[in-house]
Amino acid sequence: MMKRILVVLAMVPMFAAAAEVAPGTIQVTGNSNLGFATGSEKTKVTGAPESKVDGTQFDLGARSLYYVIKDLGVGLDLSYGFESQKFEATAGGANKNSSATLQIGPAIEYSYPVAEKASVFGFATVGYVTETDKGTTDGVDDPDVKRTGFGYELAVGAKYFFTKSFSLDGSVGYASQTVSEEVTGATGPKPDITTAGFGLNVGLSVYFGQ
């Protein structure tokens, strides 16, 4: 029995090595998300009408990393998101709103092999954020709203390697953005807006030079 345990322990480094990412490897990761939502919105004001809300959200991300040493990659992260909403009041009238957000900046990722085809990893990025909101009220265009600022994301997750050159990645992360808002035609100070939250993400990675 003891001999079997020693054999298993001896094999752990060999299994771990199979999921290692070698120096000089280039990793390209892509992910996307499409979501739909429908519901109602109520305002806590006496006599205010209830609105029906329909929304669509689409997110697309891409990441390119170069492994400077074993299991440690640095590179660039790019994410794009688009969201549209339609509000229809029960008392009549309709509003539409859409927003597009782009974030780009440097990124770093560290992986740690835990099995023959699996590893856990930590990821961080910080970057420049630009966002544009467009809307209409009863068919009349509202002033455009533009926001610029900075954001960051921290995530931890796991990878399953189908081969040395291809993995399925899953992670949970925390993201925050702080932007300054500018309304077309408006004067005065620009308000700062901070948004933050947790999210789940699934993506695919391809490794060149492994």
Side-chain angles (χ1 to χ4, degrees):
M1 182 65 179
M2 181 60 68
K3 183 180 294 186
R4 292 181 180 179
I5 294 176
L6 292 175
V7 170
V8 171
L9 291 176
M11 293 176 65
V12 170
M14 180 180 66
F15 286 157
E20 290 177 349
V21 183
T25 299
I26 296 176
Q27 173 186 335
V28 178
T29 303
N31 59 74
S32 63
N33 179 59
L34 179 63
F36 301 93
T38 183
S40 61
E41 180 180 89
K42 295 182 180 180
T43 303
K44 292 184 177 180
V45 177
T46 303
E50 180 179 344
S51 297
K52 178 185 176 183
V53 182
D54 292 305
T56 303
Q57 181 176 349
F58 175 73
D59 298 292
L60 183 66
R63 184 183 312 148
S64 180
L65 301 172
Y66 177 81
Y67 281 77
V68 292
I69 61 175
K70 184 182 69 175
D71 297 325
L72 178 65
V74 295
L76 187 68
D77 185 75
L78 173 68
S79 62
Y80 173 82
F82 178 81
E83 183 176 6
S84 65
Q85 290 183 319
K86 182 179 180 181
F87 305 85
E88 294 183 354
T90 55
N95 299 339
K96 293 181 179 180
N97 184 74
S98 64
S99 63
T101 305
L102 177 68
Q103 178 173 326
I104 183 171
I108 185 170
E109 180 176 305
Y110 179 74
S111 299
Y112 184 79
V114 294
E116 182 180 6
K117 293 186 177 182
S119 67
V120 294
F121 69 92
F123 166 79
T125 182
V126 59
Y128 173 76
V129 177
T130 178
E131 181 177 340
T132 302
D133 283 5
K134 296 180 179 291
T136 61
T137 302
D138 294 333
V140 179
D141 290 339
D142 298 328
D144 289 350
V145 178
K146 295 183 179 180
R147 304 183 183 98
T148 56
F150 290 89
Y152 70 89
E153 181 182 359
L154 304 173
V156 292
K159 299 180 180 182
Y160 178 80
F161 286 80
F162 297 100
T163 69
K164 287 284 289 182
S165 301
F166 186 75
S167 72
L168 175 65
D169 311 340
S171 64
V172 58
Y174 175 82
S176 177
Q177 294 180 347
T178 299
V179 293
S180 180
E181 183 175 288
E182 180 179 349
V183 181
T184 302
T187 58
K190 302 177 182 179
D192 289 333
I193 300 173
T194 298
T195 57
F198 291 89
L200 298 173
N201 187 57
V202 176
L204 297 173
S205 294
V206 180
Y207 303 84
F208 300 93
Q210 273 277 67

